[in-house]
């Protein structure tokens, strides 16, 4: 198992408890990113270590990122890092990876004191969110389809799930096919035995429990609401958003609402369903006069 994977898991699982180790973890990950020869998977995991650190503590992580210097250079790596991150949205394959990236950047933007190093690359931020969240939506739908097939194969349940998937998003066929194609493009022989396709999916972290972890879609919705209340940040981040991206954002907000409704319904079902009391007295006679 790669040390880079271990660092990511440790950072996520020990939020607020390993401040003294964050510098070492981030430096090792940034050293990997500075290497001229690297696999796509190693680059993704090194990026994820830094992203996880931002989720862990945005202020501390950004301070450490700003202090890091590239070999033989006095230039700050902050802008280079975010340029690389925003250009590499498609290398985040696992659900965990994409979720952490979304939550971390939302946390950074909404944090009251953390620096916002997006002025010169703001046009890449919203498309980065859109790419990750659209792929996440498809990945969740695929996983639920697989779970339904594994449970009991009930035809009625399968029909209901199919209808829900069809009604949720008209873009499912096109985006879903593209996402699956990207998964199939990955060559396990290029991973040098270190990674598998969903390299963090075999670990259950605090961000992988759907019942207790924050929903990335609702977090993104909160970010959009936050930006609307902060006109300066809204103007910077939204200046390059075209009509297609606006439709994507609206679709993701609607999906966030559906996810909230689904979780409420599941919670009620787990608690035994709705509880209807007999507090209302049915009249013995009705007067329609």
């Amino acid at each position: 198992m790669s040390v880079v994977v271990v660092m990511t898991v440790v950072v996520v699982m020990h939020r607020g408890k390993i401040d003294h180790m964050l510098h070492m973890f981030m430096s090792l990950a940034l050293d990997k990113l500075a290497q001229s020869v690297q696999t796509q998977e190693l680059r993704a995991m090194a990026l994820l270590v830094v992203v996880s650190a931002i989720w862990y503590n945005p202020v501390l992580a950004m301070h450490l990122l700003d202090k890091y210097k590239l070999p033989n250079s006095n230039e700050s790596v902050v802008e280079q890092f975010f340029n690389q991150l925003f250009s590499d949205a498609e290398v985040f394959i696992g659900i965990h990876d994409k979720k952490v990236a979304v939550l971390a950047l939302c946390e950074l933007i909404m944090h009251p004191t953390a620096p916002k190093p997006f002025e010169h690359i703001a046009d890449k931020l919203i498309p980065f969110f859109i790419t990750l969240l659209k792929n996440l939506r498809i990945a969740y739908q695929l996983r639920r389809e697989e779970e339904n097939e594994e449970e009991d194969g009930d035809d009625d349940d399968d029909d209901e799930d199919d209808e829900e998937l069809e009604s949720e998003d008209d873009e499912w066929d096109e985006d879903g096919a593209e996402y699956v194609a990207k998964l199939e493009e990955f060559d396990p022989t290029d991973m040098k035995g270190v990674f598998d396709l969903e390299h963090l999916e075999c670990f259950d972290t605090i961000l992988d429990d759907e019942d207790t972890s924050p929903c990335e879609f609702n977090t993104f919705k909160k970010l959009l609401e936050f930006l609307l209340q902060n006109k300066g940040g809204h103007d910077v981040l939204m200046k390059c958003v075209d009509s297609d991206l606006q439709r994507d954002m609206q679709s993701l907000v609607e999906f966030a609402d559906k996810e909230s409704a689904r979780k409420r319904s599941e919670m009620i079902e787990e608690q035994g369903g709705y509880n209807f009391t007999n507090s209302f007295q049915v009249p013995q006679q009705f007067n329609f006069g």
Side-chain angles (χ1 to χ4, degrees):
M1 180 172 55
S2 168
V3 65
V4 187
V5 176
V6 174
M7 289 192 296
T8 302
V9 173
V10 170
V11 169
V12 170
M13 292 299 293
H14 298 280
R15 192 181 197 188
K17 300 177 182 177
I18 56 166
D19 289 12
H20 61 290
M21 301 176 67
L22 210 61
H23 178 267
M24 177 182 66
F25 286 177
M26 289 182 63
S27 293
L28 287 170
L30 291 167
D31 288 346
K32 294 291 184 184
L33 289 172
Q35 293 176 358
S36 59
V37 179
Q38 56 186 235
T39 65
Q40 187 176 15
E41 290 71 32
L42 180 57
R43 188 169 78 251
M45 287 309 305
L47 286 168
L48 192 63
V49 171
V50 181
V51 167
S52 299
I54 293 172
W55 175 81
Y56 172 94
N57 185 326
V59 175
L60 177 58
M62 291 303 301
H63 171 70
L64 295 173
L65 187 61
D66 187 55
K67 285 179 59 179
Y68 180 87
K69 303 298 180 183
L70 292 168
N72 304 317
S73 173
N74 292 323
E75 183 182 358
S76 170
V77 76
V78 173
E79 188 169 329
Q80 294 184 47
F81 169 78
F82 282 102
N83 258 320
Q84 182 72 62
L85 177 66
F86 294 159
S87 299
D88 276 349
E90 298 292 355
V91 307
F92 292 107
I93 296 300
I95 289 177
H96 175 96
D97 303 8
K98 292 189 281 287
K99 179 170 185 173
V100 173
V102 171
L103 293 177
L105 290 185
C106 287
E107 183 95 6
L108 175 60
I109 296 169
M110 291 190 287
H111 196 283
T113 60
K116 313 295 190 290
F118 305 125
E119 183 176 354
H120 302 298
I121 48 178
D123 58 318
K124 298 181 180 180
L125 181 58
I126 295 300
F128 178 77
F129 276 125
I130 297 298
T131 298
L132 291 183
L133 288 166
K134 288 175 71 175
N135 286 344
L136 269 167
R137 179 174 54 187
I138 294 164
Y140 281 128
Q141 291 170 335
L142 289 172
R143 188 168 73 177
R144 285 169 192 160
E145 280 186 326
E146 292 175 0
E147 289 173 352
N148 289 337
E149 290 173 1
E150 290 174 0
E151 283 179 354
D152 56 12
D154 183 79
D155 291 336
D156 291 337
D157 289 344
D158 289 343
D159 289 340
E160 290 176 5
D161 292 334
D162 291 342
E163 289 174 5
E164 181 180 352
L165 289 171
E166 290 172 2
S167 63
E168 274 183 351
D169 198 333
D170 292 337
E171 301 168 0
W172 159 252
D173 290 338
E174 180 181 347
D175 291 341
E178 181 180 352
Y179 179 75
V180 172
K182 290 183 182 299
L183 292 180
E184 293 173 346
E185 285 174 6
F186 272 78
D187 179 9
T189 62
D190 188 40
M191 300 183 189
K192 299 182 179 180
V194 174
F195 303 101
D196 53 31
L197 188 59
E198 301 277 344
H199 37 261
L200 278 177
E201 305 308 294
C202 56
F203 297 98
D204 285 331
T205 73
I206 57 175
L207 293 180
D208 299 308
D209 187 337
E210 287 194 43
D211 295 330
T212 59
S213 66
C215 171
E216 57 271 42
F217 296 96
N218 277 302
T219 303
F220 179 67
K221 179 183 176 181
K222 291 177 183 176
L223 172 64
L224 296 179
E225 294 169 348
F226 170 84
L227 290 175
L228 286 173
Q229 297 170 4
N230 295 267
K231 192 175 187 305
H234 180 273
D235 291 345
V236 170
L237 294 180
M238 296 295 182
K239 62 181 180 181
C240 296
V241 174
D242 58 20
S243 58
D244 289 337
L245 287 176
Q246 288 177 357
R247 283 193 295 270
D248 286 335
M249 285 192 294
Q250 182 59 40
S251 176
L252 290 169
V253 167
E254 292 171 359
F255 185 78
D257 292 338
K258 290 178 181 178
E259 281 294 282
S260 296
R262 181 184 64 81
K263 289 184 178 181
R264 284 195 300 270
S265 178
E266 288 179 354
M267 185 181 301
I268 291 169
E269 185 176 348
E270 289 174 2
Q271 294 172 349
Y274 289 96
N275 181 21
F276 296 98
T277 64
N278 287 327
S279 59
F280 177 74
Q281 299 297 319
V282 180
Q284 299 300 313
Q285 293 181 345
F286 294 91
N287 182 5
F288 296 103

